[in-house]
Amino acid sequence: MFFCSLNRTFVPMFFLSALFSALLALSADTIRTEQIEEVVVTSNSARQRVQSVQAGAEQLQLKDLKATPSLFGENDVMRAIQLLPGVKSESDASSSFQVRGGTAAQNLILYDHAPVYNVGHLAGLFSAFNDDALGSATLYKGLLPAQYGGASSAVLDLTGRTGNKHDWHGGASIGLLSAKGTIEGPIVKDKASFLVTARRTYLDAFLKLTDDFKNNTLYFYDINAKLDWTLGQHDQLFLSFFTGYDRTALEDMIDIRWSNLASSLKWLHHFRGGSHAQTTLLYSGYLTDNGIDIFGMNIWFNGHIRQGSLRQDFHIDLGKHQLDAGFFSTLMNVKSAEWRFVTKHVKEQRRAWENAVWLNGIFHLTDRLTASAGLRADLFSPLGGSLYYDIEENGDIGWYYNYGKNQIVKTHVTLEPRASLNYQFSILNSPFSIKLAYARTSQNIHALRNQNTSTPFDRYTLSSNIVKPEIADQVSLGIFAATPDQAYDVSLEGYYRKVDNVLDYRDGKSFSSEIEIERLILPGEGKGYGVELALRKNTGKLTGWLAYTLSWSKTRIPGVNGSRWYDANNDRRHDISLVAMYRLGKRWMLNGTWVFNTGQAFTAPSGKYQIEDNWIYYYAERNGYRAPDYHRMDISAVWTKRYRRSTHEWVFSIYNLYNRYNPYLINFEDSENGARTKAKQYSLFGIVPSVAFNIKF
């Protein structure tokens, strides 16, 4: 007899919960203002939202995003982004986000143009980005200008803040679990400056004081640095650096480590009339290194993504019109996985060369009609030096190919047209606009994961002789309006998104079934569609916004789920975010958020049968079940006092005010005799109060 019920279990030690998803996946498989210098616009008034020709773009006001309530007293821009329309959190307390039916793995995160592949610390509880290091952020929800590529869902473009060239400034913050500091100032006054921020958690110091957890390790750190040198009237150099490191170790049983490195060297040259050119050298690296010795398993796993790139941008100001052109070239080295199972040692590692050229223009055709149009050509070439193969229908390798080192195995050529129209008009002095947009984008770095959330156990692979680039086509239509005084603005936008060559696991396959990742996967198609509504209040003591998204996300892969359409893991029908910020006098700011979303789809066994002493689960439908709905309220109060030479700030916050135990993981467990199966819900947090102190000088 098969019986399924839902039990709820709260895990008070959050770091154990953060490990649980990775352990579960692996063990189951094994057992079985404008800154002219950097050409970045950060202002985002209501009128600009109406007038901008770029549909689906959110030029984020970091000041407002930082004012939202924080977890553990830590401002987190990544988590605040999840409150925007069309954007969803990947899971409870996760820094990763999903956009318009895409997954977090289909997003591209750029920090000063360098890609960052794991944007979370402590399994996503903290963002990888220190908000004190950020100068601006723009989120493109799939409808990208031609300058951007490499993502089939969304691009988040972050620009690091430059240091003050005139005076010295600094700051420090002490929160519930971490501390950070910032220092900036001139190297050569009015000519060169630097900025350095650093952050580290001290949770490991608390663990050393306990008898039960003194042999455990749990910490992260990150460092941001930026140099800005004015070479002359028309030229500047920027050197940007970011690194982050995590380690989580549970006595002698598990040791998980991952790190990020992103650096760029940019030369900016201004021409007369507002035109400019940027030449950028980039390096990006992501590394994961994990070991497990538990339940009779002795496993070591690692993987990496490494990229070295050259990017050239040209911006030509033609008065009413603007042109952007450029090219990009990068060498990639991706280790999908390297394992040691006791005496077995295997790995899969490949290299590729990717090139892209683009041209994009913004044209003011009439006083009311503005158009943006562009074309990007992407050429992706997997390189020899490692094995390639053909895969038969049953997943076995049919033939091996051994190409010479640096020999081009195959070149995937993708043409990506982009277009957007904005028609503006007014009703009773209120500005209105209608926006229509289309974009094709592609992605050549693919991620596979067993769970719905990002973990250090994710496997990455490149497009190859048989794996094609993911290609997404998206169209959107929206209406935008603001009141005459811009105190309020509203937007209603619908979209349809189709993706070809999406990858999912074959039935019966998962993370560690084989080292050859192409034996685990099947290609298919995905689609997402929905409507986004946003209402913003921009002035007065009370400001904030309401965002509602109604959406569907589905996948169909031949050979999976009977080749029928099924709900994707990230399909959530309703998503609501309510954000309020209230200025109470000169010193107090009160903030609150409430979020709700429909529970995620997941796969559950429909029945089971016994073979000898083993119970075998039977799955009739992929993602045929729903987790409970998710909702949570967070509040904070910020007290600020300015002194002659410094500013002091106390931040009091409560995460999950009414102590809702939201689903983080759902696992299936058998009774002792195997006759009954229960679905057990694991929750990451109940109510979490926190306090932080900040000082700036």
Side-chain angles (χ1 to χ4, degrees), residues 316-513:
I316 304 172
D317 193 325
L318 301 174
K320 292 199 324 182
H321 313 303
Q322 298 176 4
L323 287 177
D324 289 279
F327 64 85
F328 176 79
S329 183
T330 182
L331 285 172
M332 302 179 181
N333 185 318
V334 174
K335 184 192 292 184
S336 170
E338 182 175 4
W339 296 330
R340 282 196 181 99
F341 293 86
V342 189
T343 59
K344 186 179 181 181
H345 182 196
V346 291
K347 75 173 181 177
E348 182 176 71
Q349 183 172 339
R350 288 179 177 170
R351 299 167 58 249
W353 183 29
E354 184 173 20
N355 295 277
V357 294
W358 63 83
L359 177 65
N360 197 87
I362 297 178
F363 309 98
H364 294 272
L365 304 177
T366 68
D367 291 341
R368 293 186 176 185
L369 183 62
T370 305
S372 173
L375 179 65
R376 182 183 182 94
D378 185 271
L379 295 85
F380 186 88
S381 303
L383 301 176
S386 56
L387 288 176
Y388 292 81
Y389 32 81
D390 288 332
I391 303 297
E392 298 178 345
E393 288 187 7
N394 62 0
D396 292 339
I397 296 176
W399 192 263
Y400 287 93
Y401 300 95
N402 194 357
Y403 295 89
K405 187 176 183 180
N406 297 327
Q407 182 180 354
I408 292 179
V409 176
K410 184 177 183 177
T411 298
H412 300 278
V413 180
T414 308
L415 295 179
E416 305 174 17
R418 321 278 174 87
S420 183
L421 287 173
N422 182 348
Y423 180 76
Q424 300 179 52
F425 57 98
S426 64
I427 299 177
L428 300 177
N429 294 324
S430 296
F432 282 75
S433 68
I434 297 175
K435 299 182 185 182
L436 174 65
Y438 165 77
R440 166 170 285 190
T441 58
S442 68
Q443 180 172 339
N444 287 288
I445 297 181
H446 315 272
L448 279 179
R449 57 190 51 157
N450 269 21
Q451 304 298 320
N452 296 335
T453 59
S454 305
T455 75
F457 292 90
D458 294 344
R459 291 189 62 179
Y460 295 86
T461 191
L462 298 169
S463 298
S464 65
N465 59 320
I466 55 178
V467 176
K468 298 178 181 180
E470 288 186 25
I471 299 177
D473 293 279
Q474 183 178 162
V475 61
S476 75
L477 175 64
I479 184 167
F480 301 76
T483 57
D485 59 358
Q486 301 183 53
Y488 296 87
D489 68 282
V490 63
S491 63
L492 179 65
E493 190 169 10
Y495 68 90
Y496 181 87
R497 175 177 175 267
K498 185 179 182 299
V499 190
D500 292 323
N501 308 319
V502 298
L503 303 179
D504 204 347
Y505 282 105
R506 295 172 180 264
D507 286 337
K509 298 290 185 179
S510 54
F511 172 80
S512 59
S513 299

Side-chain angles (χ1 to χ4, degrees), residues 23 34 134 241 261 271 290 460 464 468 491 609 629:
L23 283 170
E34 184 174 322
L134 298 180
F241 174 83
L261 176 64
F271 300 100
N290 313 303
Y460 295 86
S464 65
K468 298 178 181 180
S491 63
Y609 54 91
D629 293 340

Side-chain angles (χ1 to χ4, degrees), residues 510-549:
S510 54
F511 172 80
S512 59
S513 299
E514 282 86 20
I515 188 66
E516 300 91 357
I517 196 170
E518 288 161 326
R519 297 179 62 189
L520 309 178
I521 58 178
L522 285 172
E525 58 182 328
K527 62 182 178 181
Y529 48 93
V531 179
E532 301 167 1
L533 172 67
L535 174 64
R536 295 177 172 90
K537 185 178 186 300
N538 307 306
T539 60
K541 291 185 176 182
L542 176 65
T543 59
W545 67 87
L546 169 66
Y548 169 69
T549 304

